[in-house]
Amino acid sequence: MTVLLTIGLGAQLAVAQVLYGTIVGNIKDESGAVVPQATVTATNTETGLSSETATNENGDYTIQNVQPGMYDVKITKQGFSTFSRTGVPVTTNFVSRIEAALKVGEVTDVVTVTSDATLLQSDSAEVKTELSAKEINTLPLNQYRNYQALLDLVPGSTPAMTQNSIVDTPGRALTTNVNGTPRNINSTRTDGAVNVNVWLPHHTAYVAPSETIQEVVVTTSSFDAEQGLAGGAAISVQTKSGTNDFHGSAFGYHTNQRFRARPFFLPSNFEQLNGRKKPVGNLDIFGGTLGGPILRDKLFF
């Protein structure tokens, strides 16, 4: 029984690492000596949620299970000025390294540094491609507004395509080969949960609407252990969460036969028999999103 419980706990931790990011670093003073027991606080700028830890005897710290988003990182220690770094990006399964050299002074003195928009991944050998919500909603998608169409941008992938009928895959999932591997050994997780069509394992069971996605991270080499079951690509889909401000969107997409080319195999006498040059084909996709606070700084939808 003890062994089973231990295995179950390990599985939960692995899912958390795939779902969230991590902030790590090493804190020193101006002379280069490590600073133990410094307090490190990471605060999400949109939700106000914060996580706190302390540096160890070597000046190292780790904040795990950090929700993706933008963060302000503050480092305090009695006898030193407060160090603050703003605009630290945290993404799914990414290690953000924030280090500091504290200056002697009062805690009330604050040294603020603005973070670069993109941090160098120096703590992992993973090869990955990240697709942000802005890219997903502004780049051209296929007629079903499927984010998987953007897998074409991932180095080593073949053009994403529909492989089965709408009866088999009503979500119109797309498939792709990555680095020459079979289509059915890609692994997709949506908000940390394995997402696979058990009858057609080269397809995902659920395709999240593009407007609901916060980011998509596609890892194609040097996977971490928690990204098991993947041979070609490990795809992590993170959907949006609410913040302290209300945000929403409304959208409508329409296409019909006038926007499409004449089908190649259409009979030459089709117009004579039907009175039109091309078959009628209308597709309308309408919807909206809404998110915001239920309890400020604590609970969101």
Side-chain angles (χ1 to χ4, degrees):
M1 179 62 70
T2 302
V3 174
L4 292 176
L5 290 174
T6 302
I7 293 174
L9 179 60
Q12 291 179 348
L13 292 175
V15 170
Q17 290 171 348
V18 171
L19 184 57
Y20 302 123
T22 304
I23 300 176
V24 303
N26 180 266
I27 308 303
K28 299 179 180 179
D29 61 19
E30 291 181 294
S31 68
V34 299
V35 180
Q37 296 305 308
T39 301
V40 183
T41 305
T43 304
N44 189 303
T45 58
E46 293 185 325
T47 65
L49 296 175
S50 63
S51 300
E52 184 178 294
T53 189
T55 57
N56 61 19
E57 64 275 10
N58 298 317
D60 297 319
Y61 72 90
T62 300
I63 302 178
Q64 294 182 324
N65 299 336
V66 182
Q67 290 186 345
M70 299 299 292
Y71 284 79
D72 291 341
V73 178
K74 183 175 68 173
I75 303 168
T76 59
K77 172 72 174 180
Q78 191 66 35
F80 294 92
S81 299
T82 297
F83 176 89
S84 177
R85 186 159 181 175
T86 61
V88 176
V90 175
T91 58
T92 302
N93 201 36
F94 186 89
V95 179
S96 301
R97 177 168 287 276
I98 303 299
E99 300 185 336
L102 301 184
K103 297 181 179 181
V104 176
E106 298 294 330
V107 176
T108 53
D109 299 333
V110 180
V111 177
T112 302
V113 177
T114 301
S115 181
D116 295 331
T118 303
L119 295 179
L120 179 65
Q121 174 68 290
S122 59
D123 293 271
S124 173
E126 289 181 333
V127 178
K128 64 175 66 175
T129 300
E130 297 180 5
L131 300 171
S132 66
K134 181 179 180 180
E135 293 168 328
I136 293 171
N137 287 314
T138 56
L139 291 175
L141 299 177
N142 67 354
Q143 62 179 347
Y144 293 102
R145 301 289 299 161
N146 188 338
Y147 74 91
Q148 293 173 322
L150 297 182
L151 295 180
D152 294 355
L153 302 177
V154 177
S157 67
T158 60
M161 60 179 292
T162 302
Q163 193 168 338
N164 291 83
S165 68
I166 194 170
V167 175
D168 298 324
T169 56
R172 308 313 290 141
L174 304 179
T175 66
T176 183
N177 299 89
V178 177
N179 294 335
T181 60
R183 298 171 183 266
N184 60 354
I185 62 173
N186 297 326
S187 174
T188 299
R189 294 175 183 264
T190 301
D191 289 335
V194 175
N195 184 354
V196 61
N197 185 328
V198 294
W199 300 110
L200 301 169
H202 47 289
H203 287 292
T204 56
Y206 169 70
V207 180
S210 59
E211 284 76 11
T212 67
I213 297 175
Q214 178 66 32
E215 66 175 357
V216 177
V217 179
V218 184
T219 306
T220 56
S221 182
S222 301
F223 309 107
D224 284 341
E226 63 266 23
Q227 292 180 302
L229 305 178
I235 304 169
S236 297
V237 180
Q238 180 79 19
T239 59
K240 294 178 180 178
S241 176
T243 67
N244 279 327
D245 298 317
F246 287 98
H247 294 280
S249 65
F251 58 88
Y253 299 97
H254 170 78
T255 184
N256 58 48
Q257 69 277 6
R258 295 180 179 86
F259 296 98
R260 303 191 187 102
R262 187 179 188 276
F264 182 81
F265 293 104
L266 201 66
S268 58
N269 61 345
F270 179 86
E271 183 176 1
Q272 179 181 355
L273 296 175
N274 296 275
R276 61 177 67 92
K277 294 182 178 181
K278 292 179 288 186
V280 175
N282 295 316
L283 177 64
D284 295 286
I285 302 177
F286 298 99
T289 63
L290 179 64
I294 297 176
L295 187 61
R296 191 173 180 83
D297 291 341
K298 294 183 181 297
L299 187 62
F300 312 91
F301 72 94

